């Protein structure tokens, strides 16, 4: 894989991981790294799910295994 492609793959994985971790925070499953507290924010969780669903649709057929 060429360097540019690998960098794009790493960036995509970073974005997905970012939203995954943020989702866990908004579900109260892991602590907010800024406050150290676990708090639920279910409306924000729903938005994160919608963003991840949109990413799934927009990248369909464009991702490597």
């Amino acid at each position: 894989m060429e360097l540019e492609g690998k960098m794009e793959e790493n960036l995509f994985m970073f974005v997905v991981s970012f939203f995954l971790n943020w989702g866990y925070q908004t579900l109260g499953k892991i602590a907010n790294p800024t406050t150290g507290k676990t708090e639920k924010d279910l409306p924000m969780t729903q938005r994160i799910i919608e963003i991840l669903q949109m990413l799934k649709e927009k990248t369909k057929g464009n991702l490597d295994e």
Side-chain angles (χ1 to χ4, degrees):
M1 177 181 283
E2 64 186 53
L3 182 59
E4 184 177 311
K6 187 68 173 168
M7 289 174 56
E8 287 178 7
E9 179 182 328
N10 289 340
L11 181 58
F12 181 76
M13 291 303 298
F14 172 80
V15 169
V16 172
S17 295
F18 171 81
F19 283 108
L20 177 66
N21 285 321
W22 190 13
Y24 281 132
Q25 288 176 37
T26 62
L27 286 170
K29 299 291 183 185
I30 60 174
N32 179 322
T34 305
T35 65
K37 298 178 183 178
T38 54
E39 304 165 323
K40 287 186 180 180
D41 183 349
L42 297 182
M44 182 58 72
T45 303
Q46 182 60 43
R47 296 294 297 159
I48 292 167
I49 291 169
E50 291 168 0
I51 291 167
L52 288 169
Q53 288 173 330
M54 182 265 311
L55 281 173
K56 180 182 176 183
E57 288 300 313
K58 296 289 185 182
T59 58
K60 191 178 287 185
N62 293 320
L63 299 177
D64 293 335
E65 293 287 324

